[in-house]
Amino acid sequence: MFPRPIEKATPVAQFAYKAALPVALFVWLLPLLAIFLTSIRPAIDINTGNMFGIPSEFVMFDNYGQVLAQPNALRYMLNTLIITIPTVILSVSLACLTGYALAVYRFRWALPLFFVFVAGNFVPFQILMLPVVDLSVRLEMMNTIPGLVIFHAAFQTGFCTLFMRNFIKALPFELIEAARIEGVDEFKIFWHLVLPLVKPAIAALSVLIFTFIWNDFFWATVMLQDDANLPITVGVRTLNGEFVQQWQLISAASLLAALPPVIMFFAMQKHFIAGLTLGATKG
């Protein structure tokens, strides 16, 4: 069941909705605003307790310039790209193949296998830390970027398969049957018929996985110890001095690190919304 559109609500409900919306938006953006104000204030404000008031001096360019001037900043960003992009490609590619098989083929273990993918999404990943570390040590993948990529892809493929299977399942099966009757090879059906129809779903899934992996902190902290391999989410902690907490630099670096997923979302916004609403008006 879907909620009733606000246009069909009573005038009082519409007024309350319009009044509450900007308040909710402000509360939601308040932490981001606090981080931004911290990133443009001088260190003396933080040291003297002026952490939430108006900055005594606006030093935005100085703080952001110091972050970009750090010798490791660009390397952390590059490491994050090296980790994120292959993970997205692996996860989405495997999900398309597996989702196609689970949605189209009729075999005995299709439904139990699908339930395995669904159940895997409900396992808290924190409880898998020790088995993952043990396995990565045995496979000599600990403290390596390829090892982190493989484990990220393994964890994300379950959700991606669930996502793609549902979209492919919604396609008219008659199209696939007609192609099979015409003698089209199964892989060509998948590549030339199914994939073009689910491109919006692939775009939406890619944006989601890109955001998940780019913002990952837990697994990067667990599996990477070498400073040369750290992504930006973990590398920002190196901006702290040995004796002084440089929160203004950490805030600036955090906002810079958040920019690529935001840029990607707005660049792919049209495809993202189309992917999420694909099939929504199907009768």
Side-chain angles (χ1 to χ4, degrees):
M1 302 299 293
F2 296 97
R4 187 174 62 171
I6 190 62
E7 292 83 2
K8 297 182 179 180
T10 63
V12 175
Q14 292 186 31
F15 175 80
Y17 173 82
K18 293 178 181 179
L21 188 61
V23 175
L25 181 62
F26 175 77
V27 173
W28 184 68
L29 292 176
L30 192 58
L32 186 63
L33 178 62
I35 294 174
F36 175 73
L37 288 176
T38 304
S39 72
I40 63 175
R41 70 173 70 247
I44 191 172
D45 277 12
I46 301 174
N47 296 334
T48 57
N50 182 21
M51 293 177 289
F52 300 102
I54 301 298
S56 61
E57 182 183 359
F58 292 94
V59 289
M60 175 178 179
F61 294 105
D62 291 341
N63 289 341
Y64 283 85
Q66 288 186 55
V67 171
L68 296 175
Q70 293 288 327
N72 295 331
L74 293 180
R75 183 175 63 189
Y76 293 149
M77 294 289 285
L78 181 61
N79 288 342
T80 310
L81 285 173
I82 295 174
I83 294 170
T84 303
I85 293 178
T87 300
V88 172
I89 294 174
L90 275 174
S91 301
V92 175
S93 299
L94 290 173
C96 289
L97 291 168
T98 311
Y100 176 77
L102 292 175
V104 173
Y105 295 145
R106 306 290 191 269
F107 56 96
R108 181 178 180 183
W109 296 103
L111 192 58
L113 187 60
F114 177 64
F115 285 154
V116 170
F117 282 102
V118 174
N121 294 315
F122 295 97
V123 177
F125 56 84
Q126 291 87 351
I127 68 174
L128 300 175
M129 181 181 69
L130 292 180
V132 166
V133 170
D134 181 66
L135 181 61
S136 61
V137 170
R138 291 175 183 270
L139 297 177
E140 297 183 354
M141 291 182 175
M142 192 68 178
N143 199 31
T144 63
I145 289 179
L148 183 59
V149 169
I150 290 174
F151 279 105
H152 269 316
F155 288 131
Q156 297 298 330
T157 298
F159 168 74
C160 294
T161 299
L162 171 64
F163 191 94
M164 290 307 305
R165 183 261 185 190
N166 291 337
F167 278 103
I168 296 175
K169 189 75 174 177
L171 297 178
F173 189 70
E174 292 78 7
L175 294 176
I176 298 175
E177 286 184 326
R180 287 173 175 173
I181 292 173
E182 293 295 329
V184 181
D185 180 74
E186 197 70 26
F187 182 78
K188 290 183 178 179
I189 294 176
F190 167 75
W191 188 262
H192 295 289
L193 178 62
V194 174
L195 283 188
L197 293 176
V198 296
K199 277 184 178 180
I202 294 174
L205 184 60
S206 298
V207 173
L208 288 174
I209 301 303
F210 183 93
T211 304
F212 293 161
I213 304 304
W214 185 277
N215 293 329
D216 171 68
F217 177 81
F218 180 80
W219 288 116
T221 303
V222 170
M223 297 191 63
L224 298 177
Q225 286 82 41
D226 190 354
D227 188 68
N229 295 331
L230 296 180
I232 189 64
T233 51
V234 182
V236 293
R237 68 187 180 191
T238 62
L239 294 174
N240 265 332
E242 184 177 357
F243 302 105
V244 179
Q245 299 289 329
Q246 303 186 89
W247 293 113
Q248 74 281 5
L249 299 185
I250 294 178
S251 299
S254 299
L255 291 178
L256 289 175
L259 280 179
V262 174
I263 293 173
M264 182 176 181
F265 172 78
F266 282 107
M268 302 286 289
Q269 184 178 14
K270 177 180 178 181
H271 303 286
F272 181 79
I273 295 175
L276 294 182
T277 57
L278 184 65
T281 58
K282 183 178 178 181

mmCIF file with all atom_site columns, all heavy atoms in Angstrom, residues 57-75:
data_model
loop_
_atom_site.group_PDB
_atom_site.id
_atom_site.type_symbol
_atom_site.label_atom_id
_atom_site.label_alt_id
_atom_site.label_comp_id
_atom_site.label_asym_id
_atom_site.label_entity_id
_atom_site.label_seq_id
_atom_site.pdbx_PDB_ins_code
_atom_site.Cartn_x
_atom_site.Cartn_y
_atom_site.Cartn_z
_atom_site.occupancy
_atom_site.B_iso_or_equiv
_atom_site.pdbx_formal_charge
_atom_site.auth_seq_id
_atom_site.auth_comp_id
_atom_site.auth_asym_id
_atom_site.auth_atom_id
_atom_site.pdbx_PDB_model_num
ATOM 1   N N   . GLU A 1 57 ? 36.924 34.209 12.428 1.00 0.00 ? 57 GLU A N   1
ATOM 2   C CA  . GLU A 1 57 ? 37.594 34.545 11.167 1.00 0.00 ? 57 GLU A CA  1
ATOM 3   C C   . GLU A 1 57 ? 37.292 33.431 10.172 1.00 0.00 ? 57 GLU A C   1
ATOM 4   O O   . GLU A 1 57 ? 37.280 32.247 10.524 1.00 0.00 ? 57 GLU A O   1
ATOM 5   C CB  . GLU A 1 57 ? 39.100 34.672 11.382 1.00 0.00 ? 57 GLU A CB  1
ATOM 6   C CG  . GLU A 1 57 ? 39.872 35.076 10.138 1.00 0.00 ? 57 GLU A CG  1
ATOM 7   C CD  . GLU A 1 57 ? 41.369 35.127 10.389 1.00 0.00 ? 57 GLU A CD  1
ATOM 8   O OE1 . GLU A 1 57 ? 41.781 34.856 11.534 1.00 0.00 ? 57 GLU A OE1 1
ATOM 9   O OE2 . GLU A 1 57 ? 42.108 35.411 9.443  1.00 0.00 ? 57 GLU A OE2 1
ATOM 10  N N   . PHE A 1 58 ? 37.035 33.812 8.927  1.00 0.00 ? 58 PHE A N   1
ATOM 11  C CA  . PHE A 1 58 ? 36.743 32.817 7.899  1.00 0.00 ? 58 PHE A CA  1
ATOM 12  C C   . PHE A 1 58 ? 38.043 32.472 7.163  1.00 0.00 ? 58 PHE A C   1
ATOM 13  O O   . PHE A 1 58 ? 38.618 33.313 6.471  1.00 0.00 ? 58 PHE A O   1
ATOM 14  C CB  . PHE A 1 58 ? 35.700 33.349 6.919  1.00 0.00 ? 58 PHE A CB  1
ATOM 15  C CG  . PHE A 1 58 ? 34.335 33.523 7.541  1.00 0.00 ? 58 PHE A CG  1
ATOM 16  C CD1 . PHE A 1 58 ? 33.947 34.739 8.065  1.00 0.00 ? 58 PHE A CD1 1
ATOM 17  C CD2 . PHE A 1 58 ? 33.453 32.455 7.615  1.00 0.00 ? 58 PHE A CD2 1
ATOM 18  C CE1 . PHE A 1 58 ? 32.704 34.898 8.654  1.00 0.00 ? 58 PHE A CE1 1
ATOM 19  C CE2 . PHE A 1 58 ? 32.200 32.602 8.202  1.00 0.00 ? 58 PHE A CE2 1
ATOM 20  C CZ  . PHE A 1 58 ? 31.822 33.827 8.719  1.00 0.00 ? 58 PHE A CZ  1
ATOM 21  N N   . VAL A 1 59 ? 38.483 31.238 7.362  1.00 0.00 ? 59 VAL A N   1
ATOM 22  C CA  . VAL A 1 59 ? 39.758 30.799 6.765  1.00 0.00 ? 59 VAL A CA  1
ATOM 23  C C   . VAL A 1 59 ? 39.507 29.563 5.894  1.00 0.00 ? 59 VAL A C   1
ATOM 24  O O   . VAL A 1 59 ? 40.261 28.590 5.934  1.00 0.00 ? 59 VAL A O   1
ATOM 25  C CB  . VAL A 1 59 ? 40.802 30.505 7.858  1.00 0.00 ? 59 VAL A CB  1
ATOM 26  C CG1 . VAL A 1 59 ? 41.280 31.779 8.513  1.00 0.00 ? 59 VAL A CG1 1
ATOM 27  C CG2 . VAL A 1 59 ? 40.238 29.544 8.903  1.00 0.00 ? 59 VAL A CG2 1
ATOM 28  N N   . MET A 1 60 ? 38.451 29.626 5.130  1.00 0.00 ? 60 MET A N   1
ATOM 29  C CA  . MET A 1 60 ? 38.065 28.482 4.298  1.00 0.00 ? 60 MET A CA  1
ATOM 30  C C   . MET A 1 60 ? 39.181 28.078 3.344  1.00 0.00 ? 60 MET A C   1
ATOM 31  O O   . MET A 1 60 ? 39.563 26.902 3.269  1.00 0.00 ? 60 MET A O   1
ATOM 32  C CB  . MET A 1 60 ? 36.795 28.817 3.519  1.00 0.00 ? 60 MET A CB  1
ATOM 33  C CG  . MET A 1 60 ? 36.359 27.754 2.529  1.00 0.00 ? 60 MET A CG  1
ATOM 34  S SD  . MET A 1 60 ? 34.814 28.208 1.690  1.00 0.00 ? 60 MET A SD  1
ATOM 35  C CE  . MET A 1 60 ? 34.621 26.800 0.597  1.00 0.00 ? 60 MET A CE  1
ATOM 36  N N   . PHE A 1 61 ? 39.733 29.041 2.617  1.00 0.00 ? 61 PHE A N   1
ATOM 37  C CA  . PHE A 1 61 ? 40.750 28.710 1.619  1.00 0.00 ? 61 PHE A CA  1
ATOM 38  C C   . PHE A 1 61 ? 42.026 28.208 2.275  1.00 0.00 ? 61 PHE A C   1
ATOM 39  O O   . PHE A 1 61 ? 42.709 27.329 1.732  1.00 0.00 ? 61 PHE A O   1
ATOM 40  C CB  . PHE A 1 61 ? 41.031 29.931 0.736  1.00 0.00 ? 61 PHE A CB  1
ATOM 41  C CG  . PHE A 1 61 ? 39.859 30.338 -0.117 1.00 0.00 ? 61 PHE A CG  1
ATOM 42  C CD1 . PHE A 1 61 ? 39.101 31.461 0.195  1.00 0.00 ? 61 PHE A CD1 1
ATOM 43  C CD2 . PHE A 1 61 ? 39.495 29.588 -1.226 1.00 0.00 ? 61 PHE A CD2 1
ATOM 44  C CE1 . PHE A 1 61 ? 38.014 31.835 -0.581 1.00 0.00 ? 61 PHE A CE1 1
ATOM 45  C CE2 . PHE A 1 61 ? 38.420 29.950 -2.013 1.00 0.00 ? 61 PHE A CE2 1
ATOM 46  C CZ  . PHE A 1 61 ? 37.675 31.074 -1.688 1.00 0.00 ? 61 PHE A CZ  1
ATOM 47  N N   . ASP A 1 62 ? 42.351 28.731 3.438  1.00 0.00 ? 62 ASP A N   1
ATOM 48  C CA  . ASP A 1 62 ? 43.537 28.255 4.144  1.00 0.00 ? 62 ASP A CA  1
ATOM 49  C C   . ASP A 1 62 ? 43.376 26.807 4.576  1.00 0.00 ? 62 ASP A C   1
ATOM 50  O O   . ASP A 1 62 ? 44.273 25.976 4.387  1.00 0.00 ? 62 ASP A O   1
ATOM 51  C CB  . ASP A 1 62 ? 43.817 29.136 5.370  1.00 0.00 ? 62 ASP A CB  1
ATOM 52  C CG  . ASP A 1 62 ? 44.268 30.541 4.979  1.00 0.00 ? 62 ASP A CG  1
ATOM 53  O OD1 . ASP A 1 62 ? 44.705 30.703 3.825  1.00 0.00 ? 62 ASP A OD1 1
ATOM 54  O OD2 . ASP A 1 62 ? 44.156 31.451 5.826  1.00 0.00 ? 62 ASP A OD2 1
ATOM 55  N N   . ASN A 1 63 ? 42.226 26.491 5.186  1.00 0.00 ? 63 ASN A N   1
ATOM 56  C CA  . ASN A 1 63 ? 42.009 25.122 5.670  1.00 0.00 ? 63 ASN A CA  1
ATOM 57  C C   . ASN A 1 63 ? 41.940 24.119 4.521  1.00 0.00 ? 63 ASN A C   1
ATOM 58  O O   . ASN A 1 63 ? 42.592 23.066 4.561  1.00 0.00 ? 63 ASN A O   1
ATOM 59  C CB  . ASN A 1 63 ? 40.731 25.054 6.504  1.00 0.00 ? 63 ASN A CB  1
ATOM 60  C CG  . ASN A 1 63 ? 40.866 25.751 7.836  1.00 0.00 ? 63 ASN A CG  1
ATOM 61  O OD1 . ASN A 1 63 ? 41.970 25.987 8.317  1.00 0.00 ? 63 ASN A OD1 1
ATOM 62  N ND2 . ASN A 1 63 ? 39.742 26.094 8.447  1.00 0.00 ? 63 ASN A ND2 1
ATOM 63  N N   . TYR A 1 64 ? 41.154 24.440 3.511  1.00 0.00 ? 64 TYR A N   1
ATOM 64  C CA  . TYR A 1 64 ? 41.046 23.509 2.388  1.00 0.00 ? 64 TYR A CA  1
ATOM 65  C C   . TYR A 1 64 ? 42.356 23.425 1.610  1.00 0.00 ? 64 TYR A C   1
ATOM 66  O O   . TYR A 1 64 ? 42.712 22.372 1.079  1.00 0.00 ? 64 TYR A O   1
ATOM 67  C CB  . TYR A 1 64 ? 39.903 23.933 1.462  1.00 0.00 ? 64 TYR A CB  1
ATOM 68  C CG  . TYR A 1 64 ? 38.538 23.588 2.006  1.00 0.00 ? 64 TYR A CG  1
ATOM 69  C CD1 . TYR A 1 64 ? 37.865 24.434 2.889  1.00 0.00 ? 64 TYR A CD1 1
ATOM 70  C CD2 . TYR A 1 64 ? 37.910 22.401 1.651  1.00 0.00 ? 64 TYR A CD2 1
ATOM 71  C CE1 . TYR A 1 64 ? 36.625 24.122 3.396  1.00 0.00 ? 64 TYR A CE1 1
ATOM 72  C CE2 . TYR A 1 64 ? 36.658 22.070 2.147  1.00 0.00 ? 64 TYR A CE2 1
ATOM 73  C CZ  . TYR A 1 64 ? 36.028 22.936 3.029  1.00 0.00 ? 64 TYR A CZ  1
ATOM 74  O OH  . TYR A 1 64 ? 34.794 22.610 3.538  1.00 0.00 ? 64 TYR A OH  1
ATOM 75  N N   . GLY A 1 65 ? 43.070 24.545 1.550  1.00 0.00 ? 65 GLY A N   1
ATOM 76  C CA  . GLY A 1 65 ? 44.376 24.523 0.896  1.00 0.00 ? 65 GLY A CA  1
ATOM 77  C C   . GLY A 1 65 ? 45.367 23.635 1.627  1.00 0.00 ? 65 GLY A C   1
ATOM 78  O O   . GLY A 1 65 ? 46.156 22.922 1.008  1.00 0.00 ? 65 GLY A O   1
ATOM 79  N N   . GLN A 1 66 ? 45.331 23.668 2.968  1.00 0.00 ? 66 GLN A N   1
ATOM 80  C CA  . GLN A 1 66 ? 46.218 22.796 3.743  1.00 0.00 ? 66 GLN A CA  1
ATOM 81  C C   . GLN A 1 66 ? 45.896 21.320 3.515  1.00 0.00 ? 66 GLN A C   1
ATOM 82  O O   . GLN A 1 66 ? 46.802 20.487 3.459  1.00 0.00 ? 66 GLN A O   1
ATOM 83  C CB  . GLN A 1 66 ? 46.094 23.119 5.238  1.00 0.00 ? 66 GLN A CB  1
ATOM 84  C CG  . GLN A 1 66 ? 46.723 24.433 5.660  1.00 0.00 ? 66 GLN A CG  1
ATOM 85  C CD  . GLN A 1 66 ? 46.677 24.616 7.172  1.00 0.00 ? 66 GLN A CD  1
ATOM 86  O OE1 . GLN A 1 66 ? 47.150 23.770 7.924  1.00 0.00 ? 66 GLN A OE1 1
ATOM 87  N NE2 . GLN A 1 66 ? 46.095 25.721 7.616  1.00 0.00 ? 66 GLN A NE2 1
ATOM 88  N N   . VAL A 1 67 ? 44.614 21.021 3.381  1.00 0.00 ? 67 VAL A N   1
ATOM 89  C CA  . VAL A 1 67 ? 44.227 19.629 3.125  1.00 0.00 ? 67 VAL A CA  1
ATOM 90  C C   . VAL A 1 67 ? 44.748 19.174 1.766  1.00 0.00 ? 67 VAL A C   1
ATOM 91  O O   . VAL A 1 67 ? 45.350 18.098 1.637  1.00 0.00 ? 67 VAL A O   1
ATOM 92  C CB  . VAL A 1 67 ? 42.704 19.470 3.196  1.00 0.00 ? 67 VAL A CB  1
ATOM 93  C CG1 . VAL A 1 67 ? 42.282 18.076 2.722  1.00 0.00 ? 67 VAL A CG1 1
ATOM 94  C CG2 . VAL A 1 67 ? 42.216 19.709 4.615  1.00 0.00 ? 67 VAL A CG2 1
ATOM 95  N N   . LEU A 1 68 ? 44.522 19.988 0.745  1.00 0.00 ? 68 LEU A N   1
ATOM 96  C CA  . LEU A 1 68 ? 44.955 19.616 -0.601 1.00 0.00 ? 68 LEU A CA  1
ATOM 97  C C   . LEU A 1 68 ? 46.471 19.606 -0.739 1.00 0.00 ? 68 LEU A C   1
ATOM 98  O O   . LEU A 1 68 ? 47.026 18.922 -1.607 1.00 0.00 ? 68 LEU A O   1
ATOM 99  C CB  . LEU A 1 68 ? 44.346 20.568 -1.632 1.00 0.00 ? 68 LEU A CB  1
ATOM 100 C CG  . LEU A 1 68 ? 42.818 20.529 -1.745 1.00 0.00 ? 68 LEU A CG  1
ATOM 101 C CD1 . LEU A 1 68 ? 42.321 21.591 -2.708 1.00 0.00 ? 68 LEU A CD1 1
ATOM 102 C CD2 . LEU A 1 68 ? 42.357 19.147 -2.212 1.00 0.00 ? 68 LEU A CD2 1
ATOM 103 N N   . ALA A 1 69 ? 47.152 20.373 0.134  1.00 0.00 ? 69 ALA A N   1
ATOM 104 C CA  . ALA A 1 69 ? 48.616 20.404 0.086  1.00 0.00 ? 69 ALA A CA  1
ATOM 105 C C   . ALA A 1 69 ? 49.251 19.222 0.796  1.00 0.00 ? 69 ALA A C   1
ATOM 106 O O   . ALA A 1 69 ? 50.465 19.013 0.683  1.00 0.00 ? 69 ALA A O   1
ATOM 107 C CB  . ALA A 1 69 ? 49.116 21.705 0.712  1.00 0.00 ? 69 ALA A CB  1
ATOM 108 N N   . GLN A 1 70 ? 48.456 18.442 1.520  1.00 0.00 ? 70 GLN A N   1
ATOM 109 C CA  . GLN A 1 70 ? 49.005 17.268 2.201  1.00 0.00 ? 70 GLN A CA  1
ATOM 110 C C   . GLN A 1 70 ? 49.552 16.288 1.167  1.00 0.00 ? 70 GLN A C   1
ATOM 111 O O   . GLN A 1 70 ? 48.899 15.999 0.167  1.00 0.00 ? 70 GLN A O   1
ATOM 112 C CB  . GLN A 1 70 ? 47.929 16.578 3.045  1.00 0.00 ? 70 GLN A CB  1
ATOM 113 C CG  . GLN A 1 70 ? 47.446 17.381 4.235  1.00 0.00 ? 70 GLN A CG  1
ATOM 114 C CD  . GLN A 1 70 ? 48.483 17.461 5.329  1.00 0.00 ? 70 GLN A CD  1
ATOM 115 O OE1 . GLN A 1 70 ? 49.259 16.533 5.535  1.00 0.00 ? 70 GLN A OE1 1
ATOM 116 N NE2 . GLN A 1 70 ? 48.513 18.579 6.038  1.00 0.00 ? 70 GLN A NE2 1
ATOM 117 N N   . PRO A 1 71 ? 50.749 15.758 1.376  1.00 0.00 ? 71 PRO A N   1
ATOM 118 C CA  . PRO A 1 71 ? 51.347 14.860 0.378  1.00 0.00 ? 71 PRO A CA  1
ATOM 119 C C   . PRO A 1 71 ? 50.551 13.579 0.148  1.00 0.00 ? 71 PRO A C   1
ATOM 120 O O   . PRO A 1 71 ? 50.629 12.985 -0.925 1.00 0.00 ? 71 PRO A O   1
ATOM 121 C CB  . PRO A 1 71 ? 52.732 14.552 0.966  1.00 0.00 ? 71 PRO A CB  1
ATOM 122 C CG  . PRO A 1 71 ? 52.610 14.829 2.425  1.00 0.00 ? 71 PRO A CG  1
ATOM 123 C CD  . PRO A 1 71 ? 51.616 15.942 2.552  1.00 0.00 ? 71 PRO A CD  1
ATOM 124 N N   . ASN A 1 72 ? 49.767 13.160 1.153  1.00 0.00 ? 72 ASN A N   1
ATOM 125 C CA  . ASN A 1 72 ? 49.041 11.901 1.024  1.00 0.00 ? 72 ASN A CA  1
ATOM 126 C C   . ASN A 1 72 ? 47.586 12.070 0.589  1.00 0.00 ? 72 ASN A C   1
ATOM 127 O O   . ASN A 1 72 ? 46.905 11.082 0.333  1.00 0.00 ? 72 ASN A O   1
ATOM 128 C CB  . ASN A 1 72 ? 49.054 11.149 2.361  1.00 0.00 ? 72 ASN A CB  1
ATOM 129 C CG  . ASN A 1 72 ? 50.454 10.713 2.755  1.00 0.00 ? 72 ASN A CG  1
ATOM 130 O OD1 . ASN A 1 72 ? 51.306 10.466 1.907  1.00 0.00 ? 72 ASN A OD1 1
ATOM 131 N ND2 . ASN A 1 72 ? 50.709 10.632 4.050  1.00 0.00 ? 72 ASN A ND2 1
ATOM 132 N N   . ALA A 1 73 ? 47.100 13.318 0.522  1.00 0.00 ? 73 ALA A N   1
ATOM 133 C CA  . ALA A 1 73 ? 45.680 13.534 0.253  1.00 0.00 ? 73 ALA A CA  1
ATOM 134 C C   . ALA A 1 73 ? 45.263 12.971 -1.106 1.00 0.00 ? 73 ALA A C   1
ATOM 135 O O   . ALA A 1 73 ? 44.281 12.226 -1.211 1.00 0.00 ? 73 ALA A O   1
ATOM 136 C CB  . ALA A 1 73 ? 45.356 15.024 0.330  1.00 0.00 ? 73 ALA A CB  1
ATOM 137 N N   . LEU A 1 74 ? 45.993 13.311 -2.149 1.00 0.00 ? 74 LEU A N   1
ATOM 138 C CA  . LEU A 1 74 ? 45.653 12.815 -3.482 1.00 0.00 ? 74 LEU A CA  1
ATOM 139 C C   . LEU A 1 74 ? 45.827 11.306 -3.581 1.00 0.00 ? 74 LEU A C   1
ATOM 140 O O   . LEU A 1 74 ? 45.071 10.631 -4.285 1.00 0.00 ? 74 LEU A O   1
ATOM 141 C CB  . LEU A 1 74 ? 46.513 13.524 -4.536 1.00 0.00 ? 74 LEU A CB  1
ATOM 142 C CG  . LEU A 1 74 ? 46.247 15.027 -4.704 1.00 0.00 ? 74 LEU A CG  1
ATOM 143 C CD1 . LEU A 1 74 ? 47.159 15.613 -5.765 1.00 0.00 ? 74 LEU A CD1 1
ATOM 144 C CD2 . LEU A 1 74 ? 44.789 15.289 -5.065 1.00 0.00 ? 74 LEU A CD2 1
ATOM 145 N N   . ARG A 1 75 ? 46.809 10.770 -2.860 1.00 0.00 ? 75 ARG A N   1
ATOM 146 C CA  . ARG A 1 75 ? 47.015 9.325  -2.885 1.00 0.00 ? 75 ARG A CA  1
ATOM 147 C C   . ARG A 1 75 ? 45.838 8.605  -2.230 1.00 0.00 ? 75 ARG A C   1
ATOM 148 O O   . ARG A 1 75 ? 45.391 7.561  -2.706 1.00 0.00 ? 75 ARG A O   1
ATOM 149 C CB  . ARG A 1 75 ? 48.315 8.961  -2.162 1.00 0.00 ? 75 ARG A CB  1
ATOM 150 C CG  . ARG A 1 75 ? 48.634 7.465  -2.223 1.00 0.00 ? 75 ARG A CG  1
ATOM 151 C CD  . ARG A 1 75 ? 49.976 7.173  -1.603 1.00 0.00 ? 75 ARG A CD  1
ATOM 152 N NE  . ARG A 1 75 ? 49.985 7.507  -0.177 1.00 0.00 ? 75 ARG A NE  1
ATOM 153 C CZ  . ARG A 1 75 ? 51.093 7.516  0.560  1.00 0.00 ? 75 ARG A CZ  1
ATOM 154 N NH1 . ARG A 1 75 ? 52.261 7.246  0.015  1.00 0.00 ? 75 ARG A NH1 1
ATOM 155 N NH2 . ARG A 1 75 ? 51.019 7.811  1.849  1.00 0.00 ? 75 ARG A NH2 1
#
